[in-house]
Amino acid sequence: MKKILKFLKYCLYAVILLIVLGLATIYIGHKFIFPIPFSETPTIPDLKEDGLCLGVDCQPKARTVDEFIPVFANQIKHYNQIAPSLWPDNQVENLYAVVQSIETGKSWLISPEGEIKSLSTEELENLCPVRAQYNIGFELCSGGDFQSVYLALSEEALENVLEYQKYQYLGAYDLLLTYNHEMFHKLEQDQKWESPETIENRARDPMFGNLEARTERLLISQLLQEAIAAETESQRESLILQALSNYQYYKDTFPEDYKAARYFDRIEGTAHYYEIVSSLYSAYPEQVNSEDTLYQALSLLAKSKNPQPYEEPGLVNESYVLGAWAGFLLDEVQADNSEWKTEIMQNPDLTPLDILAQQYEGESLPDPIKPSADLEDQVKDAILKEENKEVAPGIFRLLYQLIF
């Protein structure tokens, strides 16, 4: 009996030692061996033109929770004021935000009107019993008499401008992007839209092996951006027709790639469209407050080849940008910009680019242009960089946030 107890005691010591070593490894790995690159000042210049200013330094400084929560509450207020006009019968409105600091555990409830209330631990538990406590983690909450979404805020990431400076259409720590993009998936697309019988490429294969297709889709996205940035209507129309010519070439030449991309061009492309438009209206209400000022802001972003928040290469990441820019152009070329949105909700096999092609059906298309050698090299380099990307910093940060 004594031997068994002694054995169990040593087993307990061993388990405790392993736990301590594991925790120490995660702490040291995140803090010292694989730290996240950090900067308190932007390394990307703001975008400025004709009175518009988009970027981190165009917004009120918000590097602490006390500074950020009122900024975010204002974004929520302005978002809900404009939300009904952003999408037909929009489901992503009147949604409360429950924000919790990962580091301190403090939490706040923000109403659709932008009112802020501190929450006790018990109130937080009652509203959101399930919580994803890592940077920009989110969950739809099941408690309370109103609909709300849980949003995890990292005070460490809030201080680190490198985390969110690329979202120049927001210019701030990116909780709003989770609020609008992810809830567009959950409350709009998942609940209202027609679904395809089968989802091709459900595993989200980036299709790195098909270099020609990756280059072709990048070229098409650049042509769409140039069309948005065009100074005259004739230039815009010419660039749209060129983009559609190359799109037809892509579909004819790489039919399996097109089939694998179609679902994501529709779902992620429209969610990204919604994210950008709603963020511009919500984060820059004094600058972007009409269709004309929205288009001016989109043109400024297009000239800088921004947004590139999904600048990692690959088929699915391309879908965000392709779908969004095709959506912006549809808003411009259709007399009623709810027409294409209704069509894409009802037809699960259409993408924004497909609808744009329908808009110009019967028009004479120019010959497709070939990607430049520089563009091909750009795609090759991006794929190589992605394949050699260090994943340890992100893994150790996730483990650190979940445990500590």
Side-chain angles (χ1 to χ4, degrees):
M1 187 66 179
K2 287 183 178 179
K3 288 183 179 180
I4 293 175
L5 289 174
K6 190 174 182 180
F7 174 75
L8 291 174
K9 181 174 72 172
Y10 283 123
C11 285
L12 178 61
Y13 289 159
V15 169
I16 293 172
L17 180 61
L18 286 173
I19 292 172
V20 170
L21 286 174
L23 293 175
T25 299
I26 292 169
Y27 183 89
I28 294 169
H30 171 61
K31 291 290 187 179
F32 303 107
I33 302 175
F34 301 109
I36 300 292
F38 182 90
S39 174
E40 293 182 351
T41 56
T43 59
I44 297 176
D46 297 327
L47 304 178
K48 298 180 181 181
E49 182 180 88
D50 297 332
L52 274 178
C53 182
L54 306 179
V56 171
D57 283 338
C58 304
Q59 296 284 24
K61 184 179 179 182
R63 305 289 190 275
T64 67
V65 170
D66 290 340
E67 292 172 338
F68 176 74
I69 291 296
V71 169
F72 183 50
N74 269 325
Q75 292 172 354
I76 294 289
K77 178 180 73 173
H78 292 301
Y79 167 82
N80 280 283
Q81 289 170 348
I82 196 70
S85 68
L86 297 178
W87 201 266
D89 188 28
N90 192 1
Q91 302 300 296
V92 193
E93 56 177 308
N94 295 321
L95 182 67
Y96 285 72
V98 177
V99 181
Q100 183 181 26
S101 166
I102 295 169
E103 288 82 2
T104 68
K106 291 181 180 178
S107 58
W108 302 263
L109 177 68
I110 302 175
S111 76
E113 295 74 34
E115 297 167 344
I116 304 167
K117 175 192 172 185
S118 294
L119 294 174
S120 67
T121 302
E122 183 179 358
E123 288 173 322
L124 174 64
E125 290 280 353
N126 289 336
L127 278 174
C128 305
V130 177
R131 300 184 296 280
Q133 292 178 269
Y134 51 85
N135 186 36
I136 313 294
F138 68 95
E139 293 284 349
L140 271 175
C141 298
S142 58
D145 299 326
F146 45 79
Q147 193 166 43
S148 61
V149 57
Y150 171 83
L151 301 168
L153 179 152
S154 167
E155 296 186 38
E156 187 178 298
L158 180 59
E159 295 176 7
N160 185 7
V161 177
L162 300 182
E163 296 270 351
Y164 50 85
Q165 63 174 351
K166 58 191 174 184
Y167 305 111
Q168 291 179 296
Y169 51 88
L170 177 66
Y173 181 63
D174 48 317
L175 275 195
L176 185 69
L177 305 192
T178 306
Y179 180 92
N180 54 25
H181 182 111
E182 298 301 342
M183 293 307 104
F184 189 78
H185 281 319
K186 285 187 171 290
L187 300 177
E188 180 66 36
Q189 294 174 338
D190 290 353
Q191 296 187 18
K192 275 179 53 186
W193 292 28
E194 291 294 326
S195 299
E197 291 184 8
T198 58
I199 298 175
E200 301 287 345
N201 193 24
R202 191 182 284 272
R204 302 171 78 97
D205 185 345
M207 304 288 197
F208 286 153
N210 197 338
L211 182 65
E212 288 182 74
R214 305 283 64 74
T215 307
E216 192 66 40
R217 276 167 64 88
L218 177 59
L219 174 60
I220 295 166
S221 70
Q222 290 185 349
L223 289 167
L224 295 175
Q225 288 177 322
E226 289 173 15
I228 286 285
E231 295 183 359
T232 67
E233 187 173 343
S234 62
Q235 288 176 338
R236 184 185 70 189
E237 295 293 297
S238 176
L239 285 161
I240 290 175
L241 291 174
Q242 187 62 69
L244 292 177
S245 171
N246 277 74
Y247 183 53
Q248 187 61 52
Y249 171 80
Y250 161 73
K251 291 199 297 181
D252 292 342
T253 310
F254 310 105
E256 292 304 311
D257 199 90
Y258 165 69
K259 190 188 297 184
R262 186 169 56 188
Y263 174 80
F264 301 101
D265 285 3
R266 176 178 183 247
I267 295 299
E268 295 296 359
T270 51
H272 192 38
Y273 160 92
Y274 188 84
E275 165 192 328
I276 295 168
V277 171
S278 60
S279 295
L280 284 167
Y281 277 126
S282 306
Y284 301 96
E286 295 183 1
Q287 298 184 66
V288 181
N289 45 43
S290 65
E291 289 185 2
D292 287 343
T293 52
L294 172 65
Y295 193 79
Q296 185 184 357
L298 292 172
S299 178
L300 179 56
L301 290 168
K303 289 174 186 176
S304 68
K305 296 294 189 290
N306 194 302
Q308 295 175 336
Y310 306 96
E311 54 200 4
E312 296 89 352
L315 178 143
V316 176
N317 290 323
E318 296 156 4
S319 293
Y320 289 81
V321 178
L322 278 170
W325 289 104
F328 302 148
L329 286 168
L330 282 165
D331 281 347
E332 289 301 306
V333 302
Q334 288 192 341
D336 178 3
N337 64 19
S338 67
E339 183 182 332
W340 74 268
K341 299 179 176 98
T342 301
E343 189 173 5
I344 208 164
M345 287 190 285
Q346 295 174 348
N347 190 330
D349 296 322
L350 283 180
T351 73
L353 258 173
D354 291 331
I355 299 176
L356 188 63
Q358 289 178 357
Q359 189 74 20
Y360 287 85
E361 197 169 4
E363 294 275 353
S364 178
L365 297 180
D367 292 334
I369 58 176
K370 296 186 68 173
S372 67
D374 286 344
L375 195 64
E376 291 178 356
D377 289 341
Q378 181 182 332
V379 174
K380 287 179 186 176
D381 291 344
I383 290 174
L384 184 62
K385 182 179 178 182
E386 181 67 18
E387 290 177 333
N388 294 327
K389 182 179 178 180
E390 281 193 8
V391 297
I395 293 172
F396 273 92
R397 174 167 74 170
L398 176 63
L399 293 171
Y400 178 86
Q401 291 177 341
L402 289 172
I403 294 171
F404 292 98

